[in-house]
Amino acid sequence: MDCSVEGKVAFAQGHAYHFATVDAALAFQACVTGGGAVEQCAAQHGCTRRVELEDVEAQEEAERRENDRPGARPKA
């Protein structure tokens, strides 16, 4: 499973998992890459917050299609 860590935040399965320490984030990563269930690893290592990541590229493409429609007014 793909899991990366930047400071106290780890990224897995389209979510950002926040931890109190870098060590906890690294332990979470080791747990996930070792085959553990993401939610179980998060709880086990003291995840303080879970945030769903947005697909920015898909949102931008949808906005472009909306603006390219005949008669569409560009957003200010």
Side-chain angles (χ1 to χ4, degrees):
M1 159 138 345
D2 185 33
C3 182
S4 62
V5 175
E6 292 182 22
K8 298 181 201 177
V9 181
F11 302 91
Q13 292 186 329
H15 289 84
Y17 294 86
H18 297 248
F19 297 90
T21 66
V22 172
D23 288 341
L26 292 171
F28 166 80
Q29 179 187 27
C31 181
V32 170
T33 56
V38 175
E39 294 302 322
Q40 183 178 1
C41 291
Q44 179 180 347
H45 296 288
C47 177
T48 57
R49 189 171 73 155
R50 177 179 156 230
V51 179
E52 185 173 359
L53 300 175
E54 297 178 11
D55 187 344
V56 174
E57 186 175 336
Q59 288 177 353
E60 289 174 349
E61 178 62 27
E63 288 176 9
R64 275 193 293 277
R65 278 182 285 172
E66 179 74 21
N67 290 337
D68 289 344
R69 268 192 4 226
R73 293 191 325 217
K75 293 181 181 177

